[in-house]
Amino acid sequence: TVNCTDLLWNVNAAANPDVSVQTSDEYDTEPSVASLETGTGVFALTLPTAATSHMAWAYDTALVYSTGTSSMFTVVSSAPYRLHVILPGESFRPGKPPYDGTGGKENLPTQRTAGQPFTVTVRGTDRYYNMSSGMGNNVTVVTSDPFDANPSGSGALNFGERTFTVMMVTYSTHT
């Protein structure tokens, strides 16, 4: 809720500025600019990144009234939804779209050399790639290389994540 107030925090019912609301979440969906009605407006925010230090700001687009800033607030991860795999060269980015199973990371995997082991990180995440630390599922890594040296077995996620050692032996592009 956004209120346009006087210096003593009384709602100014005569003030109906156009307001823009923004948040500290770089992957949020911000609402459209809207006019307050009788000094008040409700704006729906969608913040996909779990964090303990989010904030929101309300701006009068005409810059007549002062900017309003929320207190810090927490967004927690939602229900466990998927296993998320990070390869060498990739960086884990909770909250990063798209949410179709290909997001939650940035950069491309680096090239690996046949016969050289490398580490793969598997995380249990919610729909928005936030860690689900309570997820303790048993996980097995499988590759498309028919001659790979079996990844370092299977095992339960520990606080929502686990690393595996993988060694591909066939020259090709694999998944």
Side-chain angles (χ1 to χ4, degrees):
T1 301
V2 174
N3 293 313
C4 187
T5 64
D6 63 21
L7 293 175
L8 299 175
W9 302 107
N10 299 300
V11 173
N12 181 351
N16 297 310
D18 290 336
V19 173
S20 172
V21 177
Q22 299 176 358
T23 76
S24 57
D25 188 336
E26 66 181 309
Y27 305 120
D28 69 347
T29 302
E30 293 172 349
S32 299
V33 172
S35 297
L36 300 185
E37 294 182 25
T38 62
T40 298
V42 175
F43 295 82
L45 301 175
T46 303
L47 285 75
T49 309
T52 58
S53 58
H54 282 300
M55 294 181 73
W57 297 270
Y59 300 90
D60 166 17
T61 59
L63 303 176
V64 173
Y65 300 99
S66 298
T67 298
T69 304
S70 74
S71 300
M72 281 192 199
F73 59 93
T74 298
V75 173
V76 297
S77 62
S78 57
Y81 187 78
R82 70 176 98 230
L83 293 173
H84 187 249
V85 178
I86 297 290
L87 299 171
E90 296 178 318
S91 299
F92 181 49
R93 291 300 303 248
K96 184 175 183 182
Y99 305 116
D100 61 0
T102 62
K105 52 186 153 185
E106 62 185 11
N107 305 322
L108 294 173
T110 53
Q111 182 174 306
R112 302 285 95 194
T113 301
Q116 296 297 313
F118 59 94
T119 302
V120 172
T121 302
V122 178
R123 291 183 176 93
T125 69
D126 68 6
R127 183 177 188 277
Y128 303 102
Y129 308 107
N130 297 299
M131 287 279 297
S132 290
S133 60
M135 206 169 167
N137 301 47
N138 200 37
V139 175
T140 301
V141 173
V142 178
T143 76
S144 61
D145 183 347
F147 303 108
D148 69 352
N150 289 332
S152 56
S154 65
L157 298 178
N158 185 17
F159 294 103
E161 73 180 340
R162 183 178 180 98
T163 58
F164 293 88
T165 301
V166 176
M167 185 171 64
M168 310 292 255
V169 295
T170 306
Y171 172 80
S172 184
T173 300
H174 293 287
T175 57

